Amino acid sequence: MTIHTVEIPEDSEVFGKSVSAFANFGYSAAVRSHGHLFIAGTIGRRADGTIPDDIEEQTELAIGRIAEILRLEGLDLSALVDVTSYHVDIHQHLPGFSKAKARLINPPFPAWSLIGVSGLATPGLLVEIRATAAYPDAS
């Protein structure tokens, strides 16, 4: 079995200071195996490390990070096949999340599950998104 770990460059303009989180917490941003790219939970943190208060901006940043990981692998958001998002106060934040998602995710849509949670790893985070993408030659 061939496994390839996606490394985010230290000078990434999208991830900024948070690139160190992968090593600090002992996980990879994404792993390629059997024609699929498995993307770890991605949050809406700005490159300078700050967390916006607004769910729309957090969603845009999280999806932007996923798009950057896909770009590093020669893919784009249309390669997504399965997505799960975790939401703090899901009923309050779902409208803003949905607006941002509608701007960024186009048909054909991936399978997507939304799960309400009591909290995420850092106070202030409102959404975390994990995803799986398929490479074009995968069947």
Side-chain angles (χ1 to χ4, degrees), residues 7 9 12 14 17 23 29 33 37 46 54-55 78 80-81 83 102-103 106 111-112 121 133 138:
E7 300 294 332
S12 170
V14 174
K17 295 179 180 182
S33 179
L37 183 65
R46 295 181 187 112
D54 174 89
I55 185 61
S78 69
L80 294 176
V81 294
V83 180
R103 284 194 302 272
N106 299 307
W112 199 304

Side-chain angles (χ1 to χ4, degrees), residues 9-136:
E10 292 286 330
D11 62 349
S12 170
E13 290 182 20
V14 174
F15 283 83
K17 295 179 180 182
S18 65
V19 169
S20 63
F22 302 114
N24 291 345
F25 291 101
Y27 72 101
S28 299
V31 175
R32 180 177 65 214
S33 179
H34 297 284
H36 290 86
L37 183 65
F38 301 91
I39 302 170
T42 306
I43 57 171
R45 187 184 298 267
R46 295 181 187 112
D48 67 3
T50 60
I51 299 170
D53 295 329
D54 174 89
I55 185 61
E56 283 189 57
E57 186 178 355
Q58 282 194 32
T59 302
E60 289 170 357
L61 289 165
I63 292 173
R65 286 172 169 228
I66 290 169
E68 176 62 7
I69 291 167
L70 292 166
R71 185 194 68 77
L72 291 169
E73 287 294 297
L75 302 169
D76 60 30
L77 291 169
S78 69
L80 294 176
V81 294
D82 184 53
V83 180
T84 302
S85 51
Y86 303 89
H87 303 262
V88 175
D89 297 325
I90 191 168
H91 298 292
Q92 177 184 347
H93 297 120
L94 192 56
F97 169 82
S98 296
K99 283 173 59 176
K101 179 180 173 274
R103 284 194 302 272
L104 300 168
I105 305 296
N106 299 307
F109 298 116
W112 199 304
S113 299
L114 291 87
I115 300 172
V117 296
S118 61
L120 295 167
T122 302
L125 288 175
L126 303 173
V127 65
E128 182 169 332
I129 305 170
R130 67 182 315 272
T132 302
Y135 289 89

